Amino acid sequence: METLIEQTAEKSLKDKIIDLIQKEVPDYMNNFFYCMGATPLILFLVAAATGILMTFYYIPYPEKAYESVMAITSEIYLGWFIRGLHKVSITMMIFTLSLHLVRVFVTRAYKTHGELKWLIGTMLFFTTLAMGFTGYSLVYDQVSYWGMTVVMNMAEEMPLFGPPLAYLLRGGAEVSELTLLRLYDLHTKLLPVLLILLIGGHIIAITVLGFAKVEGSEGKHLFYPEHAMKVGLVAIGLLILMINLVMIFPPTIGQMANPSEVASNVAPPWYFSAVYKWITIAPRQPALFALLFFSAIFVLYPYIDRFLTERGFNMGRINIVLGTVAVAIFSMLTIWNVLF
Amino acid sequence: MGVINDNISRRKFLSSSFMALGLGFGLGMFGLRFLQFLSPKTKTDRFEEILVGSISDISDSDATVMEIAGSKIVLLKTDTGLVAFSRKCTDLGCLVSWDKAKEQFICPCHQGIYDRNGKNIAGPPPRPLDRFQVVQKGENVYVKVKTA
Protein backbone atom coordinates (compact mmCIF):
# COMPACT_ATOMS: atom_id res chain seq x y z
CA MET A 1 0.00 0.00 0.00
CA GLU A 2 2.74 2.43 0.96
CA THR A 3 4.74 1.77 -2.15
CA LEU A 4 1.67 2.38 -4.26
CA ILE A 5 1.20 5.83 -2.73
CA GLU A 6 4.85 6.59 -3.31
CA GLN A 7 4.56 5.55 -6.93
CA THR A 8 1.54 7.73 -7.60
CA ALA A 9 3.23 10.66 -5.85
CA GLU A 10 6.36 10.19 -7.93
CA LYS A 11 4.39 9.83 -11.11
CA SER A 12 2.30 12.89 -10.46
CA LEU A 13 5.42 14.98 -9.84
CA LYS A 14 6.88 13.81 -13.12
CA ASP A 15 3.57 14.48 -14.80
CA LYS A 16 3.47 17.92 -13.27
CA ILE A 17 6.85 18.77 -14.73
CA ILE A 18 5.78 17.50 -18.12
CA ASP A 19 2.52 19.37 -17.82
CA LEU A 20 4.45 22.57 -17.18
CA ILE A 21 5.95 22.37 -20.64
CA GLN A 22 3.47 20.23 -22.47
CA LYS A 23 0.41 22.39 -23.01
CA GLU A 24 -2.11 22.44 -25.76
CA VAL A 25 -1.91 25.61 -27.74
CA PRO A 26 -4.78 26.83 -29.92
CA ASP A 27 -4.51 26.33 -33.68
CA TYR A 28 -4.73 30.03 -34.45
CA MET A 29 -1.18 30.30 -33.12
CA ASN A 30 -0.06 28.84 -36.44
CA ASN A 31 -0.79 32.26 -37.87
CA PHE A 32 2.30 34.39 -37.32
CA PHE A 33 0.28 37.41 -36.27
CA TYR A 34 -1.11 35.45 -33.35
CA CYS A 35 2.15 34.21 -31.90
CA MET A 36 4.29 37.32 -31.77
CA GLY A 37 4.80 37.13 -28.04
CA ALA A 38 7.66 34.65 -28.37
CA THR A 39 9.55 36.93 -30.78
CA PRO A 40 10.36 39.70 -28.27
CA LEU A 41 11.31 36.99 -25.75
CA ILE A 42 13.91 35.55 -28.14
CA LEU A 43 15.21 39.06 -28.81
CA PHE A 44 15.37 39.78 -25.08
CA LEU A 45 17.60 36.73 -24.59
CA VAL A 46 20.00 38.03 -27.27
CA ALA A 47 19.97 41.52 -25.71
CA ALA A 48 20.64 40.06 -22.24
CA ALA A 49 23.55 37.91 -23.45
CA THR A 50 25.24 40.70 -25.40
CA GLY A 51 24.53 43.17 -22.57
CA ILE A 52 26.23 40.96 -20.00
CA LEU A 53 29.21 40.66 -22.33
CA MET A 54 29.53 44.43 -22.62
CA THR A 55 29.52 44.96 -18.83
CA PHE A 56 32.97 43.33 -18.86
CA TYR A 57 34.36 46.40 -20.63
CA TYR A 58 32.02 49.25 -19.81
CA ILE A 59 33.01 51.79 -17.13
CA PRO A 60 30.07 53.79 -15.70
CA TYR A 61 31.86 57.09 -15.11
CA PRO A 62 31.56 60.22 -17.31
CA GLU A 63 34.24 60.41 -20.03
CA LYS A 64 35.41 56.89 -19.14
CA ALA A 65 31.97 55.69 -20.22
CA TYR A 66 32.32 57.27 -23.63
CA GLU A 67 35.89 55.99 -24.00
CA SER A 68 34.89 52.45 -23.05
CA VAL A 69 31.96 52.43 -25.50
CA MET A 70 34.38 53.76 -28.12
CA ALA A 71 36.77 50.92 -27.26
CA ILE A 72 33.99 48.34 -27.48
CA THR A 73 32.95 49.74 -30.85
CA SER A 74 36.34 50.09 -32.49
CA GLU A 75 39.13 48.36 -30.57
CA ILE A 76 37.92 45.21 -28.84
CA TYR A 77 37.77 42.16 -31.09
CA LEU A 78 34.17 41.73 -32.32
CA GLY A 79 33.12 44.54 -29.98
CA TRP A 80 31.23 46.31 -32.76
CA PHE A 81 29.39 43.07 -33.45
CA ILE A 82 28.33 42.52 -29.84
CA ARG A 83 27.26 46.14 -29.42
CA GLY A 84 25.51 46.01 -32.78
CA LEU A 85 23.59 42.87 -31.80
CA HIS A 86 22.60 44.50 -28.51
CA LYS A 87 21.29 47.57 -30.29
CA VAL A 88 19.52 45.69 -33.07
CA SER A 89 17.92 43.18 -30.70
CA ILE A 90 16.50 45.94 -28.50
CA THR A 91 15.24 47.90 -31.48
CA MET A 92 13.57 44.79 -32.90
CA MET A 93 12.27 43.84 -29.46
CA ILE A 94 10.48 47.16 -29.11
CA PHE A 95 9.16 46.87 -32.67
CA THR A 96 7.83 43.31 -32.30
CA LEU A 97 6.47 44.09 -28.84
CA SER A 98 4.49 46.91 -30.46
CA LEU A 99 3.19 44.55 -33.15
CA HIS A 100 2.16 42.03 -30.49
CA LEU A 101 0.46 44.82 -28.57
CA VAL A 102 -1.45 46.10 -31.60
CA ARG A 103 -2.59 42.58 -32.48
CA VAL A 104 -3.84 41.90 -28.95
CA PHE A 105 -5.58 45.28 -28.92
CA VAL A 106 -7.29 44.97 -32.29
CA THR A 107 -8.50 41.40 -31.73
CA ARG A 108 -9.49 42.26 -28.11
CA ALA A 109 -7.49 39.28 -26.87
CA TYR A 110 -7.10 40.96 -23.46
CA LYS A 111 -10.77 40.18 -22.84
CA THR A 112 -10.79 36.42 -22.51
CA HIS A 113 -9.42 34.86 -19.34
CA GLY A 114 -8.84 37.93 -17.26
CA GLU A 115 -7.07 41.25 -17.53
CA LEU A 116 -3.91 40.15 -15.70
CA LYS A 117 -2.10 39.24 -18.93
CA TRP A 118 -2.72 42.70 -20.36
CA LEU A 119 -1.76 44.48 -17.12
CA ILE A 120 1.56 42.61 -16.86
CA GLY A 121 2.08 43.11 -20.60
CA THR A 122 1.73 46.89 -20.37
CA MET A 123 4.21 46.97 -17.47
CA LEU A 124 6.57 44.90 -19.60
CA PHE A 125 6.21 47.39 -22.43
CA PHE A 126 7.03 50.38 -20.19
CA THR A 127 9.96 48.56 -18.59
CA THR A 128 11.35 47.74 -22.03
CA LEU A 129 11.11 51.42 -23.01
CA ALA A 130 12.88 52.31 -19.74
CA MET A 131 15.61 49.86 -20.71
CA GLY A 132 15.88 51.64 -24.05
CA PHE A 133 16.23 55.04 -22.38
CA THR A 134 18.71 53.98 -19.68
CA GLY A 135 20.65 52.02 -22.31
CA TYR A 136 21.27 54.89 -24.67
CA SER A 137 22.15 57.15 -21.75
CA LEU A 138 25.11 54.90 -20.98
CA VAL A 139 26.83 55.64 -24.30
CA TYR A 140 27.49 59.14 -22.92
CA ASP A 141 27.46 60.95 -26.21
CA GLN A 142 25.59 64.21 -26.76
CA VAL A 143 22.25 62.46 -27.29
CA SER A 144 22.76 60.51 -24.05
CA TYR A 145 23.66 63.51 -21.92
CA TRP A 146 20.98 65.90 -23.15
CA GLY A 147 18.49 63.05 -23.36
CA MET A 148 18.90 62.29 -19.68
CA THR A 149 18.78 65.97 -18.77
CA VAL A 150 15.52 66.41 -20.64
CA VAL A 151 13.92 63.18 -19.38
CA MET A 152 14.83 63.94 -15.75
CA ASN A 153 13.29 67.39 -16.09
CA MET A 154 10.20 65.84 -17.67
CA ALA A 155 9.91 63.50 -14.70
CA GLU A 156 10.23 66.51 -12.42
CA GLU A 157 7.27 68.21 -14.14
CA MET A 158 4.96 65.33 -13.21
CA PRO A 159 2.58 66.10 -10.37
CA LEU A 160 3.18 64.88 -6.80
CA PHE A 161 5.73 62.09 -7.14
CA GLY A 162 7.63 63.79 -10.00
CA PRO A 163 10.14 65.95 -8.08
CA PRO A 164 11.24 63.26 -5.56
CA LEU A 165 11.50 60.71 -8.39
CA ALA A 166 13.67 63.04 -10.48
CA TYR A 167 15.85 63.82 -7.44
CA LEU A 168 16.28 60.11 -6.73
CA LEU A 169 17.09 59.23 -10.35
CA ARG A 170 19.60 62.06 -10.73
CA GLY A 171 21.12 61.60 -7.29
CA GLY A 172 20.79 65.33 -6.70
CA ALA A 173 19.41 68.49 -8.22
CA GLU A 174 21.64 68.33 -11.32
CA VAL A 175 22.77 65.62 -13.72
CA SER A 176 26.15 64.41 -12.45
CA GLU A 177 28.37 61.33 -12.33
CA LEU A 178 25.89 59.86 -9.83
CA THR A 179 23.17 60.05 -12.47
CA LEU A 180 25.18 57.93 -14.90
CA LEU A 181 25.93 55.37 -12.18
CA ARG A 182 22.25 55.21 -11.23
CA LEU A 183 21.14 54.73 -14.80
CA TYR A 184 23.80 52.04 -15.17
CA ASP A 185 22.53 50.24 -12.07
CA LEU A 186 18.97 50.49 -13.35
CA HIS A 187 19.93 49.25 -16.80
CA THR A 188 22.08 46.34 -15.72
CA LYS A 189 20.51 45.27 -12.41
CA LEU A 190 17.12 46.55 -11.30
CA LEU A 191 15.30 46.79 -14.62
CA PRO A 192 16.52 43.39 -15.93
CA VAL A 193 15.34 41.72 -12.71
CA LEU A 194 12.00 43.48 -13.05
CA LEU A 195 11.81 42.54 -16.72
CA ILE A 196 12.52 38.86 -16.01
CA LEU A 197 9.91 38.81 -13.23
CA LEU A 198 7.36 40.43 -15.54
CA ILE A 199 8.14 38.06 -18.41
CA GLY A 200 7.78 35.13 -15.99
CA GLY A 201 4.55 36.57 -14.67
CA HIS A 202 3.21 37.12 -18.18
CA ILE A 203 3.95 33.53 -19.19
CA ILE A 204 2.59 32.07 -15.94
CA ALA A 205 -0.55 34.17 -16.35
CA ILE A 206 -1.04 32.70 -19.83
CA THR A 207 -0.44 29.13 -18.63
CA VAL A 208 -2.76 29.51 -15.65
CA LEU A 209 -5.48 31.64 -17.20
CA GLY A 210 -5.27 30.12 -20.66
CA PHE A 211 -4.87 31.47 -24.17
CA ALA A 212 -7.28 34.04 -25.53
CA LYS A 213 -10.32 32.72 -27.34
CA VAL A 214 -10.49 33.54 -31.01
CA GLU A 215 -13.79 33.00 -32.74
CA GLY A 216 -13.77 30.43 -35.49
CA SER A 217 -10.69 28.66 -34.20
CA GLU A 218 -11.46 25.74 -31.90
CA GLY A 219 -8.66 23.30 -32.76
CA LYS A 220 -5.63 22.67 -30.58
CA HIS A 221 -2.19 21.24 -31.02
CA LEU A 222 0.63 20.35 -28.66
CA PHE A 223 3.24 22.84 -27.54
CA TYR A 224 5.96 20.26 -28.03
CA PRO A 225 7.05 19.39 -30.66
CA GLU A 226 4.82 21.30 -33.09
CA HIS A 227 4.82 24.76 -31.57
CA ALA A 228 8.30 24.63 -30.04
CA MET A 229 9.72 23.78 -33.46
CA LYS A 230 7.99 26.76 -35.00
CA VAL A 231 9.38 29.06 -32.30
CA GLY A 232 12.81 27.58 -32.99
CA LEU A 233 12.39 28.35 -36.66
CA VAL A 234 11.41 31.95 -35.85
CA ALA A 235 14.48 32.20 -33.59
CA ILE A 236 16.79 31.04 -36.38
CA GLY A 237 15.19 33.47 -38.79
CA LEU A 238 15.60 36.31 -36.29
CA LEU A 239 19.27 35.48 -35.69
CA ILE A 240 20.01 35.52 -39.42
CA LEU A 241 18.12 38.79 -39.82
CA MET A 242 19.90 40.37 -36.84
CA ILE A 243 23.36 39.34 -37.99
CA ASN A 244 22.67 40.84 -41.39
CA LEU A 245 21.31 44.04 -39.91
CA VAL A 246 24.42 44.43 -37.74
CA MET A 247 26.65 43.88 -40.77
CA ILE A 248 24.74 46.42 -42.86
CA PHE A 249 24.24 48.97 -40.07
CA PRO A 250 27.22 48.67 -37.71
CA PRO A 251 26.75 50.60 -34.45
CA THR A 252 27.84 54.23 -34.45
CA ILE A 253 28.65 56.67 -31.69
CA GLY A 254 28.01 60.41 -31.59
CA GLN A 255 30.21 63.16 -30.22
CA MET A 256 31.20 62.91 -26.58
CA ALA A 257 28.78 64.50 -24.12
CA ASN A 258 29.53 68.17 -23.59
CA PRO A 259 27.71 69.61 -20.58
CA SER A 260 28.39 73.17 -21.75
CA GLU A 261 27.16 72.90 -25.34
CA VAL A 262 24.08 71.27 -26.84
CA ALA A 263 24.58 69.70 -30.25
CA SER A 264 22.27 70.94 -32.99
CA ASN A 265 20.73 67.49 -33.33
CA VAL A 266 19.88 65.61 -30.16
CA ALA A 267 17.06 63.52 -31.62
CA PRO A 268 16.45 60.30 -29.65
CA PRO A 269 16.18 56.78 -31.14
CA TRP A 270 13.19 56.12 -33.37
CA TYR A 271 10.99 54.62 -30.67
CA PHE A 272 11.07 57.89 -28.74
CA SER A 273 10.81 60.10 -31.84
CA ALA A 274 7.04 60.39 -31.68
CA VAL A 275 7.08 61.45 -28.01
CA TYR A 276 9.98 63.82 -28.71
CA LYS A 277 8.08 65.46 -31.57
CA TRP A 278 4.96 65.62 -29.45
CA ILE A 279 6.63 67.51 -26.59
CA THR A 280 8.25 69.85 -29.12
CA ILE A 281 5.00 70.89 -30.79
CA ALA A 282 2.62 70.93 -27.82
CA PRO A 283 2.74 73.30 -24.83
CA ARG A 284 4.68 71.74 -21.97
CA GLN A 285 2.16 70.98 -19.22
CA PRO A 286 -0.71 69.82 -21.47
CA ALA A 287 1.75 67.72 -23.49
CA LEU A 288 3.01 65.85 -20.42
CA PHE A 289 -0.48 65.55 -18.98
CA ALA A 290 -1.69 64.06 -22.27
CA LEU A 291 1.15 61.49 -22.14
CA LEU A 292 0.20 60.46 -18.60
CA PHE A 293 -3.48 60.32 -19.52
CA PHE A 294 -2.78 58.22 -22.61
CA SER A 295 -0.64 55.80 -20.55
CA ALA A 296 -3.41 55.42 -17.96
CA ILE A 297 -6.01 54.68 -20.67
CA PHE A 298 -3.60 52.21 -22.25
CA VAL A 299 -3.01 50.27 -19.01
CA LEU A 300 -6.67 50.25 -17.96
CA TYR A 301 -8.10 49.59 -21.42
CA PRO A 302 -9.61 46.12 -20.69
CA TYR A 303 -11.75 47.69 -17.96
CA ILE A 304 -12.80 50.55 -20.23
CA ASP A 305 -13.70 47.95 -22.87
CA ARG A 306 -15.87 46.05 -20.41
CA PHE A 307 -17.54 49.24 -19.19
CA LEU A 308 -18.42 50.34 -22.72
CA THR A 309 -19.46 46.85 -23.88
CA GLU A 310 -21.98 46.70 -21.05
CA ARG A 311 -23.45 49.92 -22.42
CA GLY A 312 -23.89 48.45 -25.87
CA PHE A 313 -20.92 49.83 -27.80
CA ASN A 314 -19.44 47.75 -30.61
CA MET A 315 -15.94 47.56 -29.20
CA GLY A 316 -14.62 45.34 -32.00
CA ARG A 317 -15.09 48.18 -34.45
CA ILE A 318 -14.05 50.91 -32.01
CA ASN A 319 -10.78 49.09 -31.31
CA ILE A 320 -9.94 48.80 -34.99
CA VAL A 321 -10.52 52.54 -35.42
CA LEU A 322 -8.58 53.45 -32.25
CA GLY A 323 -5.72 51.11 -33.13
CA THR A 324 -5.47 52.53 -36.63
CA VAL A 325 -5.58 56.12 -35.38
CA ALA A 326 -2.94 55.46 -32.70
CA VAL A 327 -0.58 53.74 -35.16
CA ALA A 328 -1.17 56.50 -37.72
CA ILE A 329 -0.43 59.29 -35.22
CA PHE A 330 2.67 57.49 -33.94
CA SER A 331 3.98 56.91 -37.48
CA MET A 332 3.16 60.44 -38.55
CA LEU A 333 5.00 62.02 -35.61
CA THR A 334 7.96 59.67 -36.10
CA ILE A 335 8.27 60.39 -39.82
CA TRP A 336 7.77 64.10 -39.20
CA ASN A 337 10.60 64.06 -36.66
CA VAL A 338 12.94 62.08 -38.91
CA LEU A 339 12.31 64.19 -41.99
CA PHE A 340 12.21 67.69 -40.52
CA MET B 1 -11.93 30.92 -5.69
CA GLY B 2 -13.77 29.90 -2.56
CA VAL B 3 -13.23 31.16 0.95
CA ILE B 4 -10.60 28.95 2.50
CA ASN B 5 -11.41 29.47 6.17
CA ASP B 6 -14.33 31.61 7.21
CA ASN B 7 -14.73 30.72 10.86
CA ILE B 8 -11.55 32.08 12.47
CA SER B 9 -11.88 33.29 16.01
CA ARG B 10 -11.71 36.95 16.97
CA ARG B 11 -8.45 36.29 18.81
CA LYS B 12 -6.90 34.78 15.70
CA PHE B 13 -8.19 37.58 13.50
CA LEU B 14 -6.79 40.24 15.81
CA SER B 15 -3.41 38.56 16.13
CA SER B 16 -3.17 38.15 12.33
CA SER B 17 -4.13 41.79 11.87
CA PHE B 18 -1.46 42.93 14.28
CA MET B 19 1.06 40.71 12.55
CA ALA B 20 0.20 42.19 9.16
CA LEU B 21 0.31 45.71 10.57
CA GLY B 22 3.70 45.08 12.16
CA LEU B 23 5.08 43.54 9.00
CA GLY B 24 3.82 46.44 6.90
CA PHE B 25 5.28 48.94 9.35
CA GLY B 26 8.64 47.17 9.40
CA LEU B 27 8.89 46.87 5.63
CA GLY B 28 7.74 50.46 5.18
CA MET B 29 10.45 51.60 7.58
CA PHE B 30 13.04 49.67 5.64
CA GLY B 31 11.82 51.12 2.36
CA LEU B 32 11.90 54.66 3.75
CA ARG B 33 15.44 54.23 5.09
CA PHE B 34 16.57 52.79 1.76
CA LEU B 35 15.14 55.79 -0.08
CA GLN B 36 16.84 58.13 2.38
CA PHE B 37 20.12 56.38 1.71
CA LEU B 38 19.62 56.98 -2.01
CA SER B 39 18.92 60.70 -1.59
CA PRO B 40 22.17 62.64 -1.39
CA LYS B 41 22.39 65.51 1.07
CA THR B 42 21.39 68.90 -0.22
CA LYS B 43 24.09 71.46 0.31
CA THR B 44 23.06 74.76 1.78
CA ASP B 45 23.03 77.42 -0.89
CA ARG B 46 25.77 79.97 -0.61
CA PHE B 47 25.90 82.96 -2.91
CA GLU B 48 29.04 84.75 -3.85
CA GLU B 49 29.83 87.70 -6.04
CA ILE B 50 32.38 86.68 -8.61
CA LEU B 51 34.36 89.06 -10.80
CA VAL B 52 33.71 88.42 -14.47
CA GLY B 53 35.58 91.33 -16.04
CA SER B 54 35.60 95.03 -16.58
CA ILE B 55 32.62 96.73 -18.19
CA SER B 56 34.64 97.87 -21.18
CA ASP B 57 35.71 94.28 -21.94
CA ILE B 58 32.16 93.11 -22.41
CA SER B 59 30.98 93.28 -26.01
CA ASP B 60 28.18 95.72 -26.78
CA SER B 61 26.33 93.67 -29.36
CA ASP B 62 27.49 90.10 -28.88
CA ALA B 63 26.77 87.76 -26.00
CA THR B 64 29.58 86.54 -23.75
CA VAL B 65 29.28 82.90 -22.67
CA MET B 66 30.98 81.74 -19.48
CA GLU B 67 30.82 79.15 -16.75
CA ILE B 68 31.26 80.33 -13.17
CA ALA B 69 31.28 77.83 -10.31
CA GLY B 70 29.14 75.40 -12.29
CA SER B 71 26.60 78.02 -13.38
CA LYS B 72 26.38 78.45 -17.14
CA ILE B 73 25.93 82.13 -17.84
CA VAL B 74 25.57 84.39 -20.82
CA LEU B 75 26.24 88.12 -20.45
CA LEU B 76 24.41 90.46 -22.77
CA LYS B 77 23.70 94.16 -22.92
CA THR B 78 19.94 94.37 -23.16
CA ASP B 79 17.56 97.31 -23.35
CA THR B 80 17.75 97.62 -19.58
CA GLY B 81 21.50 97.36 -19.23
CA LEU B 82 23.88 94.47 -18.67
CA VAL B 83 22.14 91.24 -17.73
CA ALA B 84 23.59 87.86 -16.73
CA PHE B 85 21.17 85.24 -18.05
CA SER B 86 21.26 81.63 -17.03
CA ARG B 87 21.81 79.53 -20.14
CA LYS B 88 19.52 76.86 -18.79
CA CYS B 89 16.39 76.70 -20.92
CA THR B 90 13.33 77.15 -18.71
CA ASP B 91 11.63 74.33 -20.62
CA LEU B 92 13.51 71.11 -19.90
CA GLY B 93 16.98 72.23 -18.94
CA CYS B 94 18.99 72.24 -22.19
CA LEU B 95 21.35 75.15 -22.86
CA VAL B 96 20.42 78.13 -24.99
CA SER B 97 22.87 79.77 -27.36
CA TRP B 98 22.88 83.29 -28.76
CA ASP B 99 22.05 83.72 -32.41
CA LYS B 100 23.73 87.01 -33.30
CA ALA B 101 22.05 87.47 -36.68
CA LYS B 102 18.52 86.98 -35.39
CA GLU B 103 19.25 88.54 -31.98
CA GLN B 104 17.59 85.60 -30.24
CA PHE B 105 18.46 82.92 -27.73
CA ILE B 106 17.73 79.51 -29.20
CA CYS B 107 17.40 76.18 -27.44
CA PRO B 108 18.09 73.35 -29.92
CA CYS B 109 16.37 70.61 -27.93
CA HIS B 110 12.75 71.56 -28.51
CA GLN B 111 13.11 74.77 -30.53
CA GLY B 112 12.49 77.20 -27.70
CA ILE B 113 13.19 80.84 -28.68
CA TYR B 114 13.79 83.86 -26.43
CA ASP B 115 14.25 87.45 -27.53
CA ARG B 116 17.26 89.62 -26.60
CA ASN B 117 15.67 90.50 -23.24
CA GLY B 118 15.34 86.84 -22.36
CA LYS B 119 11.58 86.78 -22.91
CA ASN B 120 10.19 83.48 -24.21
CA ILE B 121 8.65 84.23 -27.61
CA ALA B 122 8.23 80.86 -29.31
CA GLY B 123 8.28 77.14 -28.64
CA PRO B 124 7.59 75.32 -25.37
CA PRO B 125 9.44 77.45 -22.74
CA PRO B 126 6.93 78.49 -20.04
CA ARG B 127 8.78 81.57 -18.72
CA PRO B 128 11.65 83.97 -19.54
CA LEU B 129 15.28 82.97 -18.97
CA ASP B 130 16.42 83.09 -15.35
CA ARG B 131 18.79 85.91 -14.41
CA PHE B 132 21.71 86.25 -12.06
CA GLN B 133 22.23 89.43 -10.15
CA VAL B 134 24.86 91.69 -11.70
CA VAL B 135 26.79 94.02 -9.41
CA GLN B 136 28.92 96.78 -10.84
CA LYS B 137 31.63 98.28 -8.67
CA GLY B 138 33.40 101.00 -10.60
CA GLU B 139 34.72 99.41 -13.77
CA ASN B 140 34.43 95.87 -12.45
CA VAL B 141 31.42 93.65 -13.10
CA TYR B 142 30.49 90.95 -10.58
CA VAL B 143 27.88 88.23 -10.96
CA LYS B 144 26.23 86.72 -7.92
CA VAL B 145 26.14 82.94 -8.30
CA LYS B 146 25.50 79.92 -6.18
CA THR B 147 28.69 78.26 -4.99
CA ALA B 148 28.97 74.84 -3.48
Side-chain angles (χ1 to χ4, degrees), chain A residues 15-249:
Chain A
D15 277 352
K16 267 183 200 161
I17 293 169
I18 291 173
D19 284 350
L20 271 184
I21 309 163
Q22 191 59 303
K23 294 269 176 196
E24 286 195 317
V25 294
D27 273 346
Y28 64 75
M29 299 260 288
N30 284 333
N31 181 337
F32 183 70
F33 283 101
Y34 286 89
C35 67
M36 279 186 305
T39 312
L41 176 61
I42 297 162
L43 294 166
F44 169 71
L45 294 177
V46 175
T50 49
I52 290 170
L53 282 175
M54 284 196 291
T55 59
F56 286 86
Y57 287 104
Y58 181 78
I59 305 163
Y61 190 80
E63 273 131 64
K64 290 269 181 212
Y66 183 81
E67 281 167 21
S68 60
V69 175
M70 198 71 145
I72 290 171
T73 317
S74 54
E75 280 168 36
I76 291 154
Y77 182 62
L78 288 184
W80 66 274
F81 184 70
I82 299 296
R83 184 168 165 238
L85 266 183
H86 193 67
K87 228 174 148 176
V88 165
S89 57
I90 281 295
T91 303
M92 283 171 63
M93 183 179 166
I94 290 172
F95 184 69
T96 51
L97 215 51
S98 312
L99 289 181
H100 177 54
L101 181 81
V102 170
R103 198 280 299 169
V104 168
F105 183 81
V106 170
T107 59
R108 296 169 79 206
Y110 49 76
K111 205 162 50 87
T112 30
H113 304 310
E115 290 83 5
L116 189 64
K117 288 187 280 180
W118 172 270
L119 290 181
I120 298 177
T122 53
M123 293 303 132
L124 246 171
F125 187 67
F126 287 133
T127 313
T128 308
L129 289 180
M131 282 297 262
F133 161 68
T134 50
Y136 86 73
S137 297
L138 300 185
V139 179
Y140 213 69
D141 61 8
Q142 282 283 59
V143 174
S144 317
Y145 185 86
W146 293 105
M148 54 184 160
T149 306
V150 165
V151 170
M152 300 295 168
N153 283 320
M154 272 169 73
E156 201 159 21
E157 296 271 329
M158 283 197 300
L160 224 63
F161 58 92
L165 179 74
Y167 193 84
L168 213 58
L169 277 175
R170 273 194 299 241
E174 300 288 336
V175 169
S176 66
E177 69 271 14
L178 273 185
T179 317
L180 182 62
L181 190 57
R182 276 168 196 221
L183 292 180
Y184 175 74
D185 269 341
L186 279 173
H187 187 77
T188 57
K189 299 177 187 100
L190 299 176
L191 291 179
V193 169
L194 183 63
L195 208 54
I196 289 166
L197 288 177
L198 287 171
I199 292 172
H202 199 61
I203 293 172
I204 288 171
I206 293 163
T207 3
V208 174
L209 299 172
F211 287 95
K213 283 186 191 129
V214 172
E215 273 182 46
S217 168
E218 300 300 325
K220 286 191 159 119
H221 60 276
L222 289 173
F223 177 78
Y224 184 86
E226 281 112 312
H227 194 69
M229 289 299 169
K230 243 164 245 151
V231 172
L233 209 61
V234 170
I236 293 169
L238 282 173
L239 280 177
I240 294 171
L241 180 62
M242 274 191 284
I243 289 171
N244 280 288
L245 282 175
V246 176
M247 302 280 199
I248 300 166
F249 306 104

Side-chain angles (χ1 to χ4, degrees), chain A residues 153 167 171 174 182 276 284, chain B residues 38 40 42 88 91-92 109:
Chain A
N153 283 320
Y167 193 84
E174 300 288 336
R182 276 168 196 221
Y276 175 81
R284 183 55 59 241
Chain B
L38 287 176
T42 38
K88 204 189 239 180
D91 176 29
L92 291 173
C109 285

Side-chain angles (χ1 to χ4, degrees), chain A residues 145-146 149-150 153-154 157 167-168 171-174 178 182 259-264 266 276 279-280 282-284 288, chain B residues 35-42 65 67 72 87-88 90-97 108-111 123-126:
Chain A
Y145 185 86
W146 293 105
T149 306
V150 165
N153 283 320
M154 272 169 73
E157 296 271 329
Y167 193 84
L168 213 58
E174 300 288 336
L178 273 185
R182 276 168 196 221
S260 51
E261 211 53 62
V262 189
S264 57
V266 286
Y276 175 81
I279 62 165
T280 305
R284 183 55 59 241
L288 293 176
Chain B
L35 286 180
Q36 280 180 325
F37 170 75
L38 287 176
S39 317
K41 237 188 253 165
T42 38
V65 174
E67 186 172 341
K72 284 136 192 160
R87 286 186 67 204
K88 204 189 239 180
T90 53
D91 176 29
L92 291 173
C94 287
L95 293 179
V96 296
S97 43
C109 285
H110 305 105
Q111 274 71 51

Side-chain angles (χ1 to χ4, degrees), chain B residues 3-16:
Chain B
V3 179
I4 297 159
N5 185 3
D6 60 353
N7 62 346
I8 51 167
S9 64
R10 177 182 297 174
R11 174 191 287 268
K12 194 154 184 211
F13 171 74
L14 281 176
S15 73
S16 313

